[in-house]
Amino acid sequence: QTCALPIWLQSGRRQPLPQRHKIGSSILATMASKRIFITGGAGYVGAMLVPRLLELGHSVTVLDLMWYGDDVIDPHARLKMVKGDIRNEELLRQEIAGHDVVIHLACISNDPSFEMDPKLGESINLDAFTPLVEISKESGVERFIYASSSSVYGVKSEPNVSEEMSLEPLTDYSRFKAECEKILAKYQSPDFTTVTIRPATVCGYSRRQRLDVVVNILSNLAYHKRKITIFGGKQLRPNIHIADMVEAYVLLLDAPKELIAGEIFNAGYENQSVEELAHSVREVMGDDVELITSPTDDNRSYHISSAKIARVLGFVPKHTIRDAIVDMKIALESGLLPNSLTDDKYFNIKRMQTKGF
């Protein structure tokens, strides 16, 4: 059945990137091979980013605790997988040396996982950050790319939330993301380019699947239960297809440093309401899927503008949220996500509970 899958879905990577970014395409056309160190590279985004980087000719070292398995990325001659903790400074010094770029993805993701063990979350998401940046700079790394979060803005009434707006994080998870952005800015220098990206919620299929983010949650439940509950419904949720998120990181690797040094970029595509997302899921999964609306006390509404990354770097996502839902359906139909309602590997907080963290 895998022959029915898109090529990038079959292999765990995208097809070769078409010439679709004005600046981005020229960057990719002249991209030199780099040695890239990725924290959290065996995570949801990392599991799709690493194969893409290898495909482009880069050498990659992944540092990850491998909580969700070490088989989410196929072996490769230019790939080194290191099972380890970003809080281990000796390990960082040993492994980061010799790399050109650090992409920092590792963190305790999402608020429920963070709140389950706040001390663990703080130690990984905040305390480990300064040593990581300092060791990277001391080791001769030329570029440091930090994955923050669009949740740092909190709730805004403005229709377009841009990078210049004030940060009003609502939780420790988002507060520590914002703190790390400030820390990173202090280390920007002519020989150490720092850049922060604030992704919307990533959605779609990955070799290291997450089924605890809104589009993927709705897709999973609709496919198996033929019923989804919409809590509230009018709240906006910015999302971005995982394939586009991967290309955003690829673009930042070789973007001219004068365009990105010390900069912050939002990365999202569609700001849809929870209700709109649910209707899109039903359109893809089948008209028999029942939509149930339930009141909620959680009326947080997020919406971001990605005009800056389009203007400065020419980056415009090419995959819709509906595309992500279609990919989820294909993956479910093809047996790529077995036991997707019960296996804790798809749910961050459940896996943390299982492992006793």
Side-chain angles (χ1 to χ4, degrees):
Q1 295 183 6
T2 55
C3 61
L5 293 171
I7 292 175
W8 80 276
L9 238 171
Q10 290 179 39
S11 60
R13 67 182 193 276
R14 288 209 56 217
Q15 297 181 44
L17 184 69
Q19 299 292 304
R20 61 170 178 260
H21 302 310
K22 184 177 180 181
I23 294 178
S25 59
S26 61
I27 289 170
L28 289 172
T30 59
M31 181 179 286
S33 176
K34 296 192 182 318
R35 296 160 297 176
I36 304 167
F37 185 89
I38 306 182
T39 71
Y44 178 43
V45 173
M48 304 305 281
L49 173 60
V50 170
R52 177 67 174 137
L53 296 176
L54 295 170
E55 179 184 55
L56 290 168
H58 300 297
S59 298
V60 180
T61 298
V62 168
L63 176 63
D64 199 296
L65 285 169
M66 314 291 180
W67 285 356
Y68 303 91
D70 57 4
D71 59 349
V72 297
I73 303 172
D74 293 333
H76 193 283
R78 283 181 275 104
L79 172 64
K80 180 180 181 181
M81 299 287 287
V82 179
K83 185 174 183 178
D85 195 319
I86 63 168
R87 295 170 293 182
N88 184 336
E89 295 180 28
E90 182 179 347
L91 180 63
L92 292 179
R93 287 189 178 90
Q94 174 184 319
E95 296 295 342
I96 291 178
H99 288 84
D100 305 305
V101 180
V102 169
I103 302 177
H104 181 39
L105 304 179
C107 69
I108 301 296
S109 297
N110 76 19
D111 294 329
S113 298
F114 194 97
E115 290 162 5
M116 191 186 82
D117 190 336
K119 289 184 178 179
L120 175 68
E122 184 170 1
S123 71
I124 291 176
N125 289 20
L126 180 62
D127 297 342
F129 188 74
T130 297
L132 173 63
V133 176
E134 290 183 344
I135 291 169
S136 298
K137 189 169 186 178
E138 292 166 2
S139 300
V141 168
E142 298 172 357
R143 185 164 297 196
F144 191 104
I145 301 169
Y146 173 50
S148 184
S149 168
S150 60
S151 67
V152 297
Y153 294 113
V155 176
K156 300 287 190 186
S157 58
E158 294 86 353
N160 291 299
V161 178
S162 66
E163 293 84 350
E164 293 75 27
M165 291 186 178
S166 62
L167 305 187
E168 301 174 82
L170 299 175
T171 64
D172 281 346
Y173 167 76
S174 53
R175 182 166 64 86
F176 293 151
K177 285 288 188 183
E179 285 296 316
C180 288
E181 291 185 13
K182 295 176 185 176
I183 292 168
L184 184 61
K186 297 176 183 177
Y187 290 87
Q188 165 62 39
S189 67
D191 60 351
F192 188 66
T193 300
T194 66
V195 59
T196 291
I197 193 161
R198 293 172 178 162
T201 301
V202 182
C203 58
Y205 171 77
S206 169
R207 287 277 297 273
R208 197 260 108 170
Q209 187 63 50
R210 283 188 64 182
L211 294 174
D212 54 2
V213 289
V214 61
V215 171
N216 297 353
I217 291 172
L218 295 176
S219 298
N220 190 36
L221 292 176
Y223 181 81
H224 288 291
K225 299 287 191 180
R226 316 311 295 175
K227 179 188 299 185
I228 48 180
T229 300
I230 306 167
F231 293 97
K234 302 303 181 184
Q235 315 97 304
L236 292 176
R237 290 291 183 268
N239 286 273
I240 184 169
H241 192 292
I242 193 167
D244 285 316
M245 195 65 242
V246 164
E247 299 307 333
Y249 288 116
V250 168
L251 188 59
L252 290 175
L253 285 177
D254 273 81
K257 67 179 182 180
E258 61 268 21
L259 295 182
I260 67 169
E263 293 293 335
I264 296 170
F265 295 98
N266 290 341
Y269 188 20
E270 295 171 290
N271 293 295
Q272 295 184 344
S273 70
V274 175
E275 186 176 52
E276 288 172 324
L277 294 173
H279 281 281
S280 294
V281 169
R282 182 167 67 177
E283 288 174 8
V284 172
M285 295 296 178
D287 292 339
D288 62 310
V289 173
E290 183 182 0
L291 303 183
I292 302 171
T293 301
S294 177
T296 181
D297 294 329
D298 181 7
N299 292 310
R300 291 175 298 166
S301 188
Y302 304 99
H303 41 283
I304 61 170
S305 166
S306 298
K308 179 180 176 180
I309 196 169
R311 182 181 70 253
V312 176
L313 299 179
F315 180 78
V316 179
K318 293 298 181 181
H319 299 80
T320 66
I321 305 311
R322 190 181 189 280
D323 291 335
I325 300 166
V326 169
D327 286 346
M328 288 296 299
K329 182 180 181 183
I330 293 171
L332 288 161
E333 289 176 339
S334 302
L336 295 178
L337 302 173
N339 306 311
S340 62
L341 290 175
T342 57
D343 194 327
D344 64 25
K345 72 180 181 181
Y346 303 119
F347 306 91
N348 286 5
I349 193 166
K350 290 182 180 180
R351 177 51 63 98
M352 288 175 67
Q353 290 169 333
T354 300
K355 285 188 169 287
F357 290 105

